């Protein structure tokens, strides 16, 4: 087989065989295929597209390029959740203990934040003593005993995706639905869970800016999941403004705790109830969605979800006192107010710009080497559709970098639009995508 022939075949719009896809993925991972040929193939795929068969084969090849985590020693149906990334997306912190408290085993591998999107591992590290590194044996043990464990992504999961994604990033070939779907699903499938609930974000803070593209991406991932024998459901949800009020690591831990106590922001709470109910349903701890939703709401109301969070933090070495008293979380030295310059309604809060503003305050990183400030970030006091009066606080800026504040104020002035006319709130859950059909809401 020659890479030249594979490139020319895709250039001419023909379907690649399993052998050809495997040849490319294996060869590129082992560095037998140079970047220039891999780039040419990726661009041909980008321009010509891949059909469902090819997408599944690419996913399989990348999934098998490294370690497949063996979770078979965990009893019950392991359910994983994945979000395509957003701003202030506090859901995993809430969902993992919430769904575990319903008896569904949660064996979660999470990542760190990059750019304007945050990562669960960073957020959890703002709890003193909390450890995200453990052996796979301890990971399995903890899930069997406590129904929950969260660790950082190991380097050995889908190494082909890591290499190909880095190349796509510099060759303008990221934005292709088949490539995104296979990239995400190869990692999820290698992580070993039996069923997967996907949160596909759409809007200014998401990869997908357009609802139709987001639904198409959700549908491709659901189809891949089912082809690979994993029950998979996707929700397409709003990321046109940040989720909840808090953006930033310790600030989001605090928000997760209030949500687990039933006192969280309306949008975050609702999203966790829906995603959680689907996880409970796929984990077969309820017969219908309605029953699953009721179970989830009961765990929030009874305090059992919060108790599970506390237990989980303790097991992984974290200081449980911090959970009882969130004043003990890392705190920024300065808190500045961002205030309204006029009366009106909040018409739009551009999520990516607000995420970048939070990063400037210290909460995020541009590359994985940067150290982040766990105390920094933004707390919104208003959301889209709210009324606001002149001089009223729209957001608090938490930071240790006083020198960045005026720059961030300017960013927020452009990112947050106030109008004289009542502004419409976006629907939070826009579509539900299952293997037997797509329901737009
Ligand atoms: N996230 C991924 O993991 N891969 C993509 O291709 C896009 C987003
Ligand atoms: Ca949030």
């Amino acid at each position: 087989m020659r890479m030249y022939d594979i490139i020319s075949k895709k250039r001419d719009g023909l379907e690649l065989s399993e052998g050809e896809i495997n040849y490319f993925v294996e060869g590129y991972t082992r560095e037998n295929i140079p970047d220039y040929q891999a780039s040419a193939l990726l661009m041909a795929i980008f321009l010509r597209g891949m059909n469902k068969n090819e997408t599944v084969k690419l996913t399989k090849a990348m999934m098998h390029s490294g370690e497949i985590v063996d979770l078979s020693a965990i009893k019950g149906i392991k359910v994983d959740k994945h979000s395509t990334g957003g701003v202030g997306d506090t859901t995993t912190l809430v969902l993992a203990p919430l769904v575990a408290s319903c008896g569904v085993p949660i064996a979660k591998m999470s990542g760190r934040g990059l750019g304007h999107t945050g990562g669960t591992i960073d957020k959890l590290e703002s709890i003193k003593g909390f450890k995200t590194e453990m052996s796979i044996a301890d990971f399995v043990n903890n899930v069997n005993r406590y129904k929950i464990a969260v660790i950082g992504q190991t380097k050995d999961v889908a190494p082909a995706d890591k290499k190909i994604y880095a190349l796509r990033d510099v060759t303008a070939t990221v934005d292709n639905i088949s490539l995104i779907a296979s990239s995400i699903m190869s990692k999820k499938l290698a992580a070993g869970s039996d069923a997967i609930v996907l949160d596909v974000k759409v809007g200014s803070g998401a990869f997908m800016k357009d609802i139709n593209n987001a639904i198409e991406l959700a549908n491709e991932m659901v189809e891949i999941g089912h082809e690979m024998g994993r029950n998979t459901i996707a929700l397409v949800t709003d990321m046109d403004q940040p989720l909840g009020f808090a953006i930033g690591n310790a600030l989001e831990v605090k928000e997760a705790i209030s949500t687990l106590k039933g006192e969280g922001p309306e949008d975050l709470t609702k999203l966790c109830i829906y995603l959680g109910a689907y996880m409970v349903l796929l984990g077969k701890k309820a017969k219908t969605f309605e029953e699953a939703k009721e179970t989830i709401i009961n765990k929030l109301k009874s305090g059992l979800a919060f108790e599970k969070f506390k237990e989980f933090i303790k097991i992984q070495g974290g200081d449980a006192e911090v959970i009882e008293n969130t004043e003990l979380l890392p705190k920024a030295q300065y808190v500045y107010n961002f205030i309204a310059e006029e009366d009106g309604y909040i018409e739009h809060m551009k999520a990516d710009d607000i995420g970048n503003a939070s990063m400037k305050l210290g909460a995020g990183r541009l590359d994985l080497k940067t150290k982040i400030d766990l105390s920094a970030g933004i707390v919104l006091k208003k959301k889209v559709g709210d009324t606001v009066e002149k001089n009223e606080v729209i957001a608090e800026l938490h930071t240790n970098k006083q020198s960045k504040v005026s720059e961030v104020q300017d960013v927020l002035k452009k990112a947050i639009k106030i109008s004289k006319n009542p502004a419409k709130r976006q629907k939070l859950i826009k579509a539900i995508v299952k293997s037997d059909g797509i329901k737009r809401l």
Side-chain angles (χ1 to χ4, degrees):
M1 215 176 280
R2 293 194 315 163
M3 193 58 192
Y4 179 95
D5 300 323
I6 300 174
I7 297 167
S8 69
K9 195 172 171 187
K10 185 43 78 182
R11 179 200 65 199
D12 297 339
L14 300 172
E15 178 177 340
L16 299 179
S17 71
E18 183 158 21
E20 288 160 339
I21 289 171
N22 288 343
Y23 178 86
F24 159 60
V25 172
E26 281 167 26
Y28 189 59
T29 310
R30 294 201 190 123
E31 306 194 342
N32 295 331
I33 293 168
D35 285 350
Y36 51 83
Q37 284 185 312
S39 306
L41 179 62
L42 288 169
M43 187 54 83
I45 289 172
F46 184 93
L47 295 172
R48 288 293 196 167
M50 283 196 303
N51 64 24
K52 186 178 142 191
N53 270 336
E54 294 171 291
T55 308
V56 170
K57 285 165 190 160
L58 177 61
T59 308
K60 236 195 247 180
M62 294 199 293
M63 166 189 172
H64 288 289
S65 66
E67 179 192 353
I68 308 275
V69 181
D70 181 7
L71 300 179
S72 60
I74 298 173
K75 296 181 282 289
I77 302 169
K78 284 82 68 186
V79 184
D80 200 357
K81 170 253 169 190
H82 180 79
S83 152
T84 58
V87 177
D89 181 9
T90 317
T91 50
T92 297
L93 290 176
V94 179
L95 276 172
L98 175 57
V99 175
S101 75
C102 300
V104 179
I106 302 294
K108 184 117 192 72
M109 281 194 179
S110 280
R112 293 190 183 275
L114 194 59
H116 67 268
T117 59
T120 299
I121 293 298
D122 297 318
K123 294 173 196 177
L124 284 168
E125 281 178 353
S126 57
I127 300 166
K128 204 172 79 196
F130 190 89
K131 284 182 194 63
T132 56
E133 276 176 35
M134 66 174 98
S135 68
I136 291 289
D138 287 345
F139 182 59
V140 165
N141 264 340
N142 281 0
V143 182
N144 270 332
R145 281 186 71 173
Y146 308 105
K147 298 280 182 230
I148 181 170
V150 177
I151 56 172
Q153 234 139 32
T154 70
K155 284 183 231 37
D156 313 322
V157 168
D161 171 65
K162 203 164 189 182
K163 284 204 73 178
I164 293 171
Y165 193 28
L167 189 62
R168 285 165 58 209
D169 211 21
V170 293
T171 55
T173 51
V174 168
D175 255 340
N176 172 277
I177 286 176
S178 296
L179 292 176
I180 297 174
S182 54
S183 164
I184 292 173
M185 290 304 285
S186 66
K187 286 172 282 201
K188 286 288 115 182
L189 292 163
S193 281
D194 305 307
I196 304 162
V197 173
L198 299 163
D199 181 10
V200 177
K201 307 282 194 189
V202 59
S204 59
F207 250 100
M208 297 286 139
K209 313 286 179 202
D210 170 82
I211 180 71
N212 294 319
N213 289 340
I215 289 176
E216 200 185 325
L217 173 63
N219 196 42
E220 280 225 28
M221 292 197 286
V222 168
E223 286 189 344
I224 294 169
H226 279 264
E227 274 307 307
M228 300 297 290
R230 316 287 173 97
N231 207 350
T232 306
I233 288 179
L235 299 188
V236 178
T237 74
D238 183 53
M239 188 33 78
D240 207 39
Q241 66 175 331
L243 186 65
F245 296 116
I247 304 135
N249 299 284
L251 297 168
E252 286 186 54
V253 167
K254 194 172 167 186
E255 180 168 80
I257 290 169
S258 67
T259 306
L260 283 162
K261 287 180 165 173
E263 299 154 2
E266 194 184 322
D267 57 350
L268 176 62
T269 302
K270 181 173 176 184
L271 186 56
C272 289
I273 290 172
Y274 273 74
L275 290 169
Y278 279 111
M279 291 173 80
V280 167
L281 190 64
L282 295 194
K284 296 208 175 6
K285 294 291 173 189
K287 288 198 179 60
T288 62
F289 176 75
E290 285 310 317
E291 186 192 327
K293 204 170 136 191
E294 208 171 295
T295 307
I296 286 280
I297 291 170
N298 281 339
K299 295 296 176 192
L300 287 174
K301 281 192 179 153
S302 63
L304 290 171
F306 175 64
E307 288 305 317
K308 181 52 83 178
F309 184 65
K310 225 165 51 183
E311 183 186 42
F312 154 62
I313 296 303
K314 258 194 262 183
I315 298 157
Q316 295 201 205
D319 181 356
E321 218 177 308
V322 174
I323 311 305
E324 292 290 357
N325 177 10
T326 52
E327 292 301 303
L328 299 172
L329 283 163
K331 263 193 171 160
Q333 199 177 345
Y334 310 103
V335 181
Y336 287 85
N337 287 329
F338 174 74
I339 58 170
E341 288 181 333
E342 56 189 321
D343 292 347
Y345 299 85
I346 307 283
E347 185 179 300
H348 191 212
M349 301 186 124
K350 210 167 165 293
D352 51 350
D353 289 346
I354 297 173
N356 283 325
S358 171
M359 182 169 70
K360 281 192 172 67
L361 295 173
R365 52 168 85 77
L366 269 175
D367 61 68
L368 283 170
K369 286 177 213 100
T370 321
K371 201 165 150 39
I372 56 179
D373 178 352
L374 296 169
S375 70
I378 293 175
V379 179
L380 302 174
K381 297 290 166 184
K382 298 282 177 183
K383 299 272 300 215
V384 171
D386 290 352
T387 55
V388 64
E389 284 172 20
K390 187 175 174 177
N391 292 331
E392 209 181 347
V393 178
I394 296 178
E396 287 171 2
L397 318 181
H398 294 241
T399 191
N400 293 306
K401 296 185 189 174
Q402 228 172 350
S403 61
K404 293 284 179 189
V405 172
S406 77
E407 187 187 338
V408 164
Q409 298 263 15
D410 289 340
V411 172
L412 293 183
K413 255 179 231 168
K414 290 198 194 88
I416 299 174
K417 197 167 163 223
I418 297 174
S419 85
K420 288 290 170 206
N421 305 314
K424 228 176 81 192
R425 289 190 165 90
Q426 284 266 354
K427 229 183 220 138
L428 177 66
I429 298 167
K430 293 166 181 290
I432 300 168
V433 179
K434 299 187 199 167
S435 62
D436 61 0
I438 297 165
K439 191 170 150 197
R440 285 179 186 251
L441 302 172

